[in-house]
């Protein structure tokens, strides 16, 4: 019965011919509520036939090449084979989305999510020109998207054109998380955006909505790598559409100049026609003047029509520029937001890793990197064996001094970072700054904007840190908070090698004139010198 239903849908589809150019922006994205956890169960037993990854990818590639022959032609491909595609497009329904529908038929043998993604990736490569890496990333999101909305026909009806939804059924739409349900029960919806682009043919916004991201984040690694890959794609999409917007804006400017010229020509032709008509009216028996009047009126009408056509071209170019820029802004905003969330999740993973290391009695200490320059680096070691678990990428901590930053009090206090005078490399031209180094990643999380004297002493007083900074050719005592923001700079200049002694009366230092001075701890103004 399923096969009959499928054949009827394919027959209806095959009889429809729709023209479609580059698809427009999908303003109505899928809005998510709640969270769906997707975990694919793939077959893990013995296989009668082992196929190579390339041959599996070629299954989708073969379908893609058929569709690519004419992307603007709706149709069904792979009829009566294990895997079929419906290229469901219709330019007459502009407010909703077009889509490709990948159908896994009853005699299909795919039984692992990795291989299914290879088939989809192969299709995207051949149909739309995606590169292999981008196709793999998008295929992953397509499968999760279809699993999240499995058997939710109402969602597809709301968002997709009728040319798409009339080929979907409630029981088959989307993708089951169980491989045994795939043959004969699967209609994978691939939302389309701009078929003319090898980067934006698939709508990356739709396949990465909140529900999809929430599901991918259920992975042990929070799906960080795949999410980062998609954020990179969106970043490139933003750049691509920004360039298109600029080109369209340039075209609009040129069209506008041509419009001004055409309107001037139309106005002149209209004036000439008015004069010719007036002369003809004054001399009704003069056939030559009557003919010239008619010709002048015809020319004026032609020039008017040209001006109107030019105006439409100008307006269209302006609309194209605005539309492309809107896409660029949207993709850039999504990429930026996702990168921020990915950074948070990376921090979470690092916290989890640190917790695991702490369970192994991890301890943080310093090792010498350069004896001559007395540069050091942080390392994390297993205190029971002395083995190095990880080493900080910061290779140049000056003065072999770090000040721990803690949160919590008493027995609950824990070190969350270190303040140090450092630069990331040992290169002589690398700027030295006051840095906050995270205790989990051992990477710089914040640093001062100001240049710090490389051999400056570093002193802590409560939640503030004091060191010597360089401004122009002079040196000053500087006061920083734990976010490496400059709070105050001394009014008096000091020697770059000055000690910094914090007392209850103020800060004692050595001025540039080699005299002892006392600075107010709060304002760093000179109290006496």
């Amino acid at each position: 019965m399923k096969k009959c239903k499928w054949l009827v849908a394919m027959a209806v589809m095959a009889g429809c011919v729709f023209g479609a150019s580059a698809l427009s922006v999908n303003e109505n994205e899928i809005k998510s509520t709640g969270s769906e956890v997707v975990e694919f169960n793939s077959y893990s037993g013995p296989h009668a036939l082992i196929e190579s990854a390339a041959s599996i990818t070629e299954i989708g590639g073969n379908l893609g090449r058929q569709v690519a022959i004419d992307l603007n032609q709706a149709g069904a491909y792979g009829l009566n084979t294990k895997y079929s595609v419906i290229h469901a497009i219709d330019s007459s329904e502009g407010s909703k989305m077009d889509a490709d529908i990948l159908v896994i038929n009853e005699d299909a043998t795919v039984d692992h999510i990795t291989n299914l993604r290879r088939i989809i990736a192969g299709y995207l490569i051949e149909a739309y020109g995606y590169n292999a890496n981008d196709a793999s990333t998008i295929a992953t999101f397509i499968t999760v998207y279809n699993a999240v909305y499995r058997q939710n026909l109402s969602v597809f009806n709301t968002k997709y054109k009728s040319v798409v939804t009339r080929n979907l059924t409630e029981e088959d739409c989307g993708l089951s998380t169980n491989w045994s349900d795939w043959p004969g029960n699967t209609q994978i919806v691939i939302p389309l955006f701009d078929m003319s682009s090898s980067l934006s043919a698939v709508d990356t916004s739709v396949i990465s909505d909140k529900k999809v991201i929430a599901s991918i984040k259920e992975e042990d690694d929070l799906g960080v790598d795949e999410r980062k890959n998609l954020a990179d794609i969106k970043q490139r999409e933003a750049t691509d559409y920004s360039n298109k917007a600029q080109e369209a804006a340039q075209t609009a400017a040129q069209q506008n100049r041509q419009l001004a010229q055409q309107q001037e020509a139309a106005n002149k032709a209209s004036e000439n026609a008015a004069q010719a008509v007036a002369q003809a009216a004054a001399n009704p028996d003069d056939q030559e003047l009557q003919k010239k009047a008619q010709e002048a009126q015809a020319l004026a009408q032609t020039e008017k029509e040209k001006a109107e056509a030019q105006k439409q071209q100008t307006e269209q170019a302006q609309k194209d520029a605005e539309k492309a820029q809107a896409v660029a802004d949207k993709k850039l905003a999504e990429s930026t937001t996702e990168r921020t969330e990915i950074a948070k999740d990376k921090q979470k993973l690092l916290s989890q890793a640190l917790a695991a290391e702490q369970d192994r009695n991890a301890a943080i200490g310093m090792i010498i990197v350069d004896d001559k320059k007395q540069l050091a680096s942080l390392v994390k070691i297993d205190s029971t064996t002395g083995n190095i678990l990880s080493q900080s990428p910061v290779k140049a901590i000056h003065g072999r001094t770090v000040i721990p930053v803690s949160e919590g009090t008493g027995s609950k206090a824990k070190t969350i970072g270190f303040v140090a005078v450092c630069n990331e490399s040992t290169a002589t031209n690398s700027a030295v700054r006051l840095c906050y180094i995270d205790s989990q990643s051992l990477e710089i999380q914040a640093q001062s904007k100001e240049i710090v004297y490389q051999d400056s002493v570093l002193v802590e007083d409560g939640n503030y840190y004091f060191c010597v900074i360089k401004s122009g050719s002079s040196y000053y005592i500087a006061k920083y908070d734990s976010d490496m923001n400059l709070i105050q700079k001394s009014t008096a200049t000091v020697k770059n090698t000055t000690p910094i002694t914090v007392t209850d009366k103020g800060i004692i230092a050595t001025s540039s004139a080699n005299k002892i001075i006392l600075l107010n701890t709060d304002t760093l103004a000179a109290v006496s010198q």
Side-chain angles (χ1 to χ4, degrees), residues 360-361 379-389:
R360 298 196 300 270
N361 299 314
V379 292
K380 196 174 294 183
I381 68 169
D382 186 328
S383 61
T384 62
T385 64
N387 294 331
I388 294 178
L389 300 173

Side-chain angles (χ1 to χ4, degrees), residues 102-142:
L102 175 64
V103 180
I104 303 179
N105 296 318
E106 290 180 347
D107 53 352
T109 56
V110 63
D111 55 16
H112 198 287
I113 189 61
T114 298
N115 288 336
L116 178 55
R117 287 169 178 167
R118 284 171 176 158
I119 292 172
I120 296 172
Y123 175 76
L124 297 177
I125 291 169
E126 297 298 335
Y128 301 110
Y130 278 96
N131 67 49
N133 290 334
D134 290 349
S136 177
T137 296
I138 292 174
T140 296
F141 278 86
I142 286 172

Side-chain angles (χ1 to χ4, degrees), residues 282-340:
N283 301 277
D285 297 329
D286 191 329
Q287 296 300 315
E288 185 65 25
L289 289 178
Q290 302 300 323
K291 181 180 179 182
K292 288 182 178 180
Q294 292 175 355
E295 291 174 347
Q297 286 179 310
L299 178 60
Q301 180 62 31
T302 299
E303 293 299 327
K304 181 180 178 181
E305 291 173 355
K306 287 182 179 179
E308 184 61 32
Q310 186 64 52
K311 180 180 178 181
Q312 292 177 359
Q313 291 178 9
T314 302
E315 291 174 347
Q316 185 59 53
Q318 291 172 339
K319 289 178 181 179
D320 290 344
E322 292 170 0
K323 185 179 293 186
Q325 190 58 54
V327 176
D329 294 343
K330 173 185 173 64
K331 296 299 181 180
L332 181 59
E334 290 182 7
S335 177
T336 301
T337 299
E338 288 166 15
R339 288 181 191 280
T340 300

Side-chain angles (χ1 to χ4, degrees), residues 21-25 193-201 236-253 316-329 331:
S21 58
L23 304 182
S24 60
V25 180
F193 181 67
D194 183 353
M195 292 186 298
S196 67
S197 171
S198 60
L199 189 62
S200 302
R236 283 182 278 134
E237 284 185 289
T239 301
D240 182 36
Y241 278 95
S242 180
N243 292 336
K244 289 179 179 178
Q246 292 178 17
E247 292 173 1
Q250 291 172 355
T251 299
Q316 185 59 53
Q318 291 172 339
K319 289 178 181 179
D320 290 344
E322 292 170 0
K323 185 179 293 186
Q325 190 58 54
V327 176
D329 294 343
K331 296 299 181 180

